[in-house]
Amino acid sequence: MTTKYVVDANYRFIAAYQEVNARINQRQQALALYVTLVVSLLAALVALKPSESNAQVPIEWLLAGFPVASICLAFLNYKAERAISNLRRFLSALEQLNDAHEQLPSYNTHEKWSQSANKARRFHDYAAIILVIGGNVIGLGAAAKIYPERISEMSIALWLSIAAAVISVLLLLITPKWSYKPDIS
């Protein structure tokens, strides 16, 4: 005789909400990681300032670090947004069991609540966009100021870095497209 165990919907709901919170935490950690990387790159630019002893600093590598960090932030933001949206769809399905969403307020099922949550989360996206623009302007600007000769010699590296930074901003701008929207069945 085998015993069949079923996990109650309440436990599934709690587990999914814990996962949503973990994904929100990851988004915050990605911002902190981005700031750390940009500040570290700026510190390296300043610390390796040209002098007689280190005339050939690998500025190309440092220059590329700013947009690479920005693109990584955009990808991490996208990943978190997709995961949160998927989890919220699951939560909405649980809220609709036995038509419970008709009797109880349902955060993931009723548009009033989900739209409000999406609007609040947009401020994270705005912060990410501002950090990416600021980090790249400050970083690439500092590189151009500290290493003007090297930058003029390799202007293609600067333009590629600017293009990659712009792509990361565009990715962050379109991230809200994948925000959760209730789909009541």
Side-chain angles (χ1 to χ4, degrees):
M1 174 196 238
T2 61
T3 306
K4 191 174 186 181
Y5 294 101
V6 176
V7 178
D8 184 88
N10 286 332
Y11 291 113
R12 293 173 190 216
F13 193 86
I14 291 167
Y17 245 109
Q18 287 174 340
E19 186 66 23
V20 167
N21 287 331
R23 300 301 175 164
I24 291 169
N25 249 347
Q26 285 177 345
R27 281 174 54 120
Q28 295 305 110
Q29 290 170 349
L31 281 179
L33 176 62
Y34 177 77
V35 170
T36 302
L37 288 172
V38 168
V39 170
S40 298
L41 287 166
L42 282 170
L45 280 174
V46 173
L48 297 172
K49 189 173 179 178
S51 67
E52 297 79 36
S53 62
N54 63 349
Q56 290 299 319
V57 175
I59 186 66
E60 301 83 9
W61 297 102
L62 291 173
L63 199 64
F66 294 99
V68 166
S70 300
I71 288 175
C72 288
L73 174 64
F75 286 159
L76 290 172
N77 205 47
Y78 168 80
K79 178 194 75 122
E81 189 65 36
R82 293 301 299 257
I84 290 169
S85 293
N86 188 44
L87 288 162
R88 291 188 66 202
R89 267 192 227 48
F90 177 74
L91 290 165
S92 178
L94 290 173
E95 288 174 354
Q96 294 177 53
L97 289 176
N98 299 323
D99 293 325
H101 66 292
E102 299 295 333
Q103 291 91 31
L104 299 168
S106 299
Y107 185 76
N108 296 291
T109 302
H110 293 125
E111 211 169 295
K112 171 178 112 174
W113 301 104
S114 63
Q115 282 181 349
S116 180
N118 287 345
K119 286 178 184 176
R121 267 206 335 280
R122 291 301 62 92
F123 285 96
H124 172 91
D125 296 329
Y126 301 149
I129 290 166
I130 290 168
L131 284 171
V132 165
I133 291 170
N136 280 282
V137 167
I138 292 168
L140 300 176
K145 183 73 174 167
I146 296 170
Y147 306 94
E149 302 85 27
R150 294 288 303 279
I151 295 294
S152 65
E153 291 172 10
M154 52 170 213
S155 63
I156 188 74
L158 178 64
W159 286 110
L160 287 173
S161 294
I162 292 170
V166 168
I167 289 169
S168 66
V169 169
L170 292 174
L171 286 171
L172 288 167
L173 283 171
I174 63 170
T175 295
K177 175 184 174 185
W178 294 285
S179 291
Y180 171 75
K181 291 164 193 69
D183 180 33
I184 300 174
S185 47

